[in-house]
Amino acid sequence: MNASERDQLLTAVQSAIAAAPNGNAAMQQAVRLLKDGMPHYTWVGIYLLDGEELVLGPFLGKPSPHTRIPLGRGICGAAATEKKTIIVDDVNADPRYLACSLETKSEIVVPIMDGGTVLGEIDIDSDRAAAFGAADRRLLEQVAGLLSEALSES
Ligand code: SME
């Protein structure tokens, strides 16, 4: 996927979120467009922070056993605690990793922030090793910004 295709995807996500009637619909649209638009995104989901736990919201891919993740656990918990994007090239080499599917090789988790507050995060797994780079991070951090607006409005 080249830069202009990524820009098109971001524009599509932006329009879909703007047209969504509420935060939940906005999350569903973002998940669908990212999953359909990026062939190396095998599992795409959004977790929302509820107290000290991340709770799985809309997702596409195999059902995950991790529907509630305490902040101290997993790559998801680490990204929410550190309030920054985490990219793991080889999940099996990362002791924090909570397995969702045996096929998963790499993962990116991008916090959805409202100022200094974590609202939730975008979590994406790939069956390809080291599937996520700077371009994915940029795209997903922009999508997280759009979702933050949609979630704080509803
Ligand atoms: N791998 C995540 C858990 C969520 S599943 O990938 C859907 C983690 O280590 O936090």
Side-chain angles (χ1 to χ4, degrees):
M1 161 141 327
N2 62 34
S4 105
E5 287 167 333
R6 270 194 307 276
D7 283 349
Q8 276 176 27
L9 179 57
L10 182 64
T11 304
V13 172
Q14 197 162 17
S15 309
I17 289 178
N22 54 48
N24 199 52
M27 290 190 290
Q28 282 177 6
Q29 294 288 346
V31 165
R32 184 182 59 79
L33 286 162
L34 290 171
K35 177 81 169 66
D36 290 351
M38 301 296 260
H40 59 300
Y41 292 6
T42 311
W43 189 96
V44 179
I46 295 176
Y47 285 89
L48 289 180
L49 189 61
D50 177 17
E52 298 291 301
E53 279 189 326
L54 293 156
V55 180
L56 183 58
F59 72 93
L60 286 171
K62 285 191 201 164
S64 168
H66 304 293
T67 55
R68 298 185 81 90
I69 302 176
L71 275 183
R73 300 204 57 218
I75 294 160
C76 286
T81 307
E82 293 169 24
K83 303 186 178 183
K84 60 172 214 236
T85 298
I86 297 183
I87 293 177
V88 177
D89 288 343
D90 175 3
V91 290
N92 292 310
D94 192 317
R96 298 170 299 183
Y97 176 62
L98 299 171
C100 175
S101 152
L102 285 177
E103 284 90 48
T104 299
K105 303 276 191 310
S106 57
E107 179 163 6
I108 183 169
V109 185
V110 179
I112 301 169
M113 303 292 299
D114 180 16
T117 305
V118 177
L119 301 180
E121 57 195 26
I122 304 170
D123 178 21
I124 302 183
D125 292 345
S126 181
D127 289 356
R128 265 175 40 199
F132 304 106
D136 297 283
R137 171 196 289 258
R138 249 192 324 275
L139 170 71
L140 295 169
E141 288 180 350
Q142 285 169 307
V143 173
L146 296 169
L147 284 171
S148 165
E149 285 171 34
L151 291 170
S152 29
E153 276 160 17
S154 55

Short mmCIF file of all heavy atoms in Angstrom, two decimals, residues 43 47 56 62 64-66 69 73-78 91 96-101 104 107 109 121 123-125, ligand 1:
data_model
loop_
_atom_site.label_atom_id
_atom_site.label_comp_id
_atom_site.label_asym_id
_atom_site.label_seq_id
_atom_site.Cartn_x
_atom_site.Cartn_y
_atom_site.Cartn_z
N TRP A 43 -6.35 -9.22 12.38
CA TRP A 43 -7.37 -9.03 13.45
C TRP A 43 -7.34 -7.56 13.82
O TRP A 43 -6.27 -7.01 14.08
CB TRP A 43 -7.02 -9.90 14.66
CG TRP A 43 -8.09 -9.97 15.73
CD1 TRP A 43 -9.03 -10.93 15.88
CD2 TRP A 43 -8.29 -9.04 16.82
NE1 TRP A 43 -9.83 -10.66 16.98
CE2 TRP A 43 -9.39 -9.51 17.58
CE3 TRP A 43 -7.66 -7.86 17.22
CZ2 TRP A 43 -9.88 -8.85 18.70
CZ3 TRP A 43 -8.15 -7.19 18.35
CH2 TRP A 43 -9.24 -7.69 19.08
N TYR A 47 -10.43 -1.71 22.06
CA TYR A 47 -10.72 -1.88 23.49
C TYR A 47 -11.03 -0.51 24.08
O TYR A 47 -10.38 0.49 23.72
CB TYR A 47 -9.50 -2.46 24.21
CG TYR A 47 -9.27 -3.93 23.97
CD1 TYR A 47 -8.50 -4.37 22.91
CD2 TYR A 47 -9.81 -4.88 24.82
CE1 TYR A 47 -8.27 -5.72 22.68
CE2 TYR A 47 -9.58 -6.24 24.61
CZ TYR A 47 -8.82 -6.65 23.54
OH TYR A 47 -8.61 -8.00 23.34
N LEU A 56 -13.18 -5.26 25.44
CA LEU A 56 -13.23 -5.39 23.97
C LEU A 56 -14.56 -4.86 23.43
O LEU A 56 -15.64 -5.25 23.88
CB LEU A 56 -13.04 -6.86 23.57
CG LEU A 56 -13.00 -7.15 22.08
CD1 LEU A 56 -11.89 -6.37 21.37
CD2 LEU A 56 -12.83 -8.65 21.81
N LYS A 62 -10.91 -13.55 14.24
CA LYS A 62 -11.35 -14.63 15.13
C LYS A 62 -11.73 -14.09 16.51
O LYS A 62 -11.06 -13.18 17.00
CB LYS A 62 -10.20 -15.61 15.33
CG LYS A 62 -9.92 -16.51 14.16
CD LYS A 62 -8.95 -17.59 14.65
CE LYS A 62 -8.22 -18.22 13.49
NZ LYS A 62 -7.04 -18.97 13.92
N SER A 64 -11.64 -13.34 20.25
CA SER A 64 -10.49 -13.37 21.15
C SER A 64 -10.93 -13.83 22.53
O SER A 64 -12.00 -13.45 23.00
CB SER A 64 -9.91 -11.95 21.27
OG SER A 64 -8.99 -11.90 22.33
N PRO A 65 -10.10 -14.63 23.21
CA PRO A 65 -10.42 -14.98 24.60
C PRO A 65 -10.25 -13.78 25.54
O PRO A 65 -10.74 -13.79 26.66
CB PRO A 65 -9.41 -16.09 24.94
CG PRO A 65 -8.28 -15.89 23.99
CD PRO A 65 -8.84 -15.26 22.74
N HIS A 66 -9.55 -12.74 25.05
CA HIS A 66 -9.23 -11.61 25.93
C HIS A 66 -10.25 -10.49 25.73
O HIS A 66 -9.97 -9.50 25.04
CB HIS A 66 -7.80 -11.13 25.67
CG HIS A 66 -6.79 -12.21 25.82
ND1 HIS A 66 -6.52 -12.80 27.04
CD2 HIS A 66 -6.02 -12.86 24.92
CE1 HIS A 66 -5.61 -13.74 26.88
NE2 HIS A 66 -5.30 -13.81 25.60
N ILE A 69 -9.09 -7.02 29.69
CA ILE A 69 -7.65 -7.09 30.00
C ILE A 69 -7.33 -6.08 31.10
O ILE A 69 -7.50 -4.87 30.90
CB ILE A 69 -6.81 -6.79 28.74
CG1 ILE A 69 -7.15 -7.78 27.61
CG2 ILE A 69 -5.32 -6.84 29.06
CD1 ILE A 69 -6.43 -7.48 26.29
N ARG A 73 -1.70 -6.02 32.29
CA ARG A 73 -1.42 -7.25 31.54
C ARG A 73 -1.38 -7.00 30.03
O ARG A 73 -2.08 -6.14 29.50
CB ARG A 73 -2.49 -8.31 31.85
CG ARG A 73 -2.52 -8.67 33.33
CD ARG A 73 -3.09 -10.04 33.55
NE ARG A 73 -2.37 -11.05 32.82
CZ ARG A 73 -2.95 -12.10 32.23
NH1 ARG A 73 -4.26 -12.25 32.27
NH2 ARG A 73 -2.22 -13.00 31.59
N GLY A 74 -0.56 -7.82 29.36
CA GLY A 74 -0.57 -7.83 27.90
C GLY A 74 0.10 -6.62 27.28
O GLY A 74 0.49 -5.67 27.96
N ILE A 75 0.23 -6.69 25.98
CA ILE A 75 0.76 -5.55 25.23
C ILE A 75 -0.29 -4.44 25.26
O ILE A 75 0.02 -3.25 25.32
CB ILE A 75 1.11 -6.00 23.80
CG1 ILE A 75 2.28 -7.00 23.88
CG2 ILE A 75 1.49 -4.81 22.92
CD1 ILE A 75 2.42 -7.87 22.67
N CYS A 76 -1.57 -4.86 25.28
CA CYS A 76 -2.66 -3.89 25.37
C CYS A 76 -2.56 -3.09 26.66
O CYS A 76 -2.66 -1.86 26.66
CB CYS A 76 -4.01 -4.60 25.30
SG CYS A 76 -4.39 -5.19 23.65
N GLY A 77 -2.37 -3.79 27.78
CA GLY A 77 -2.26 -3.11 29.06
C GLY A 77 -1.05 -2.18 29.10
O GLY A 77 -1.13 -1.07 29.63
N ALA A 78 0.05 -2.63 28.51
CA ALA A 78 1.28 -1.81 28.50
C ALA A 78 1.06 -0.52 27.71
O ALA A 78 1.47 0.56 28.15
CB ALA A 78 2.43 -2.63 27.91
N VAL A 91 5.68 -11.43 18.41
CA VAL A 91 4.93 -11.52 19.67
C VAL A 91 5.43 -12.67 20.55
O VAL A 91 5.38 -12.58 21.78
CB VAL A 91 3.40 -11.69 19.42
CG1 VAL A 91 2.80 -10.40 18.86
CG2 VAL A 91 3.08 -12.87 18.54
N ARG A 96 5.25 -10.03 27.53
CA ARG A 96 3.98 -9.39 27.89
C ARG A 96 2.81 -9.94 27.08
O ARG A 96 1.66 -9.79 27.47
CB ARG A 96 4.05 -7.87 27.61
CG ARG A 96 5.10 -7.15 28.39
CD ARG A 96 5.26 -5.72 27.89
NE ARG A 96 5.69 -5.68 26.48
CZ ARG A 96 5.97 -4.57 25.82
NH1 ARG A 96 5.86 -3.39 26.41
NH2 ARG A 96 6.37 -4.61 24.56
N TYR A 97 3.11 -10.58 25.96
CA TYR A 97 2.07 -10.94 24.98
C TYR A 97 1.03 -11.92 25.51
O TYR A 97 1.36 -12.96 26.08
CB TYR A 97 2.76 -11.56 23.74
CG TYR A 97 1.81 -12.07 22.69
CD1 TYR A 97 0.94 -11.21 22.04
CD2 TYR A 97 1.78 -13.42 22.35
CE1 TYR A 97 0.06 -11.68 21.08
CE2 TYR A 97 0.91 -13.89 21.39
CZ TYR A 97 0.05 -13.02 20.76
OH TYR A 97 -0.82 -13.49 19.82
N LEU A 98 -0.24 -11.57 25.33
CA LEU A 98 -1.36 -12.47 25.62
C LEU A 98 -1.83 -13.03 24.29
O LEU A 98 -2.27 -12.27 23.42
CB LEU A 98 -2.51 -11.72 26.28
CG LEU A 98 -2.25 -11.04 27.62
CD1 LEU A 98 -3.44 -10.16 28.01
CD2 LEU A 98 -2.01 -12.09 28.69
N ALA A 99 -1.74 -14.33 24.11
CA ALA A 99 -2.05 -14.93 22.80
C ALA A 99 -3.55 -14.89 22.53
O ALA A 99 -4.37 -15.17 23.39
CB ALA A 99 -1.54 -16.35 22.76
N CYS A 100 -3.85 -14.53 21.29
CA CYS A 100 -5.24 -14.46 20.84
C CYS A 100 -5.44 -15.55 19.80
O CYS A 100 -6.46 -16.23 19.77
CB CYS A 100 -5.44 -13.06 20.27
SG CYS A 100 -6.99 -12.74 19.52
N SER A 101 -4.43 -15.72 18.94
CA SER A 101 -4.49 -16.76 17.90
C SER A 101 -3.08 -17.29 17.70
O SER A 101 -2.10 -16.53 17.77
CB SER A 101 -5.01 -16.14 16.61
OG SER A 101 -4.51 -16.84 15.50
N THR A 104 -0.88 -15.57 15.00
CA THR A 104 -0.40 -14.18 15.12
C THR A 104 1.12 -14.13 15.29
O THR A 104 1.68 -14.87 16.09
CB THR A 104 -1.07 -13.49 16.34
OG1 THR A 104 -2.47 -13.47 16.13
CG2 THR A 104 -0.57 -12.07 16.52
N GLU A 107 2.17 -7.41 16.25
CA GLU A 107 1.02 -6.68 16.80
C GLU A 107 1.37 -5.19 16.92
O GLU A 107 2.52 -4.84 17.16
CB GLU A 107 0.68 -7.25 18.19
CG GLU A 107 -0.47 -6.56 18.90
CD GLU A 107 -1.06 -7.40 20.06
OE1 GLU A 107 -0.48 -8.47 20.37
OE2 GLU A 107 -2.08 -6.97 20.62
N VAL A 109 -0.41 -1.73 18.94
CA VAL A 109 -1.47 -1.21 19.82
C VAL A 109 -1.30 0.30 19.91
O VAL A 109 -0.21 0.79 20.24
CB VAL A 109 -1.42 -1.84 21.23
CG1 VAL A 109 -2.61 -1.36 22.05
CG2 VAL A 109 -1.44 -3.37 21.15
N GLU A 121 -8.08 1.85 22.99
CA GLU A 121 -6.97 1.64 22.07
C GLU A 121 -7.40 0.82 20.86
O GLU A 121 -8.37 0.06 20.91
CB GLU A 121 -5.79 0.98 22.78
CG GLU A 121 -6.14 -0.33 23.42
CD GLU A 121 -5.07 -0.80 24.40
OE1 GLU A 121 -4.34 0.02 24.97
OE2 GLU A 121 -4.99 -2.02 24.59
N ASP A 123 -6.21 -2.15 18.54
CA ASP A 123 -5.30 -3.30 18.63
C ASP A 123 -5.36 -4.05 17.31
O ASP A 123 -6.45 -4.41 16.85
CB ASP A 123 -5.74 -4.20 19.79
CG ASP A 123 -4.86 -5.44 19.92
OD1 ASP A 123 -3.72 -5.44 19.40
OD2 ASP A 123 -5.32 -6.42 20.54
N ILE A 124 -4.21 -4.26 16.69
CA ILE A 124 -4.18 -4.98 15.41
C ILE A 124 -3.12 -6.07 15.46
O ILE A 124 -1.98 -5.84 15.88
CB ILE A 124 -3.93 -4.02 14.23
CG1 ILE A 124 -5.04 -2.95 14.24
CG2 ILE A 124 -3.90 -4.78 12.90
CD1 ILE A 124 -4.98 -1.97 13.12
N ASP A 125 -3.52 -7.28 15.04
CA ASP A 125 -2.60 -8.42 14.94
C ASP A 125 -2.37 -8.75 13.47
O ASP A 125 -3.27 -8.56 12.64
CB ASP A 125 -3.24 -9.68 15.56
CG ASP A 125 -3.40 -9.58 17.07
OD1 ASP A 125 -2.80 -8.70 17.68
OD2 ASP A 125 -4.14 -10.42 17.61
N1 SME B 1 -2.33 -9.67 22.23
C1 SME B 1 -2.98 -8.75 23.13
C2 SME B 1 -4.28 -9.34 23.63
C3 SME B 1 -5.43 -9.06 22.75
S1 SME B 1 -5.57 -10.12 21.42
O1 SME B 1 -4.42 -9.92 20.55
C4 SME B 1 -6.92 -9.74 20.56
C5 SME B 1 -2.06 -8.40 24.29
O2 SME B 1 -0.99 -8.99 24.43
O3 SME B 1 -2.40 -7.53 25.08
#
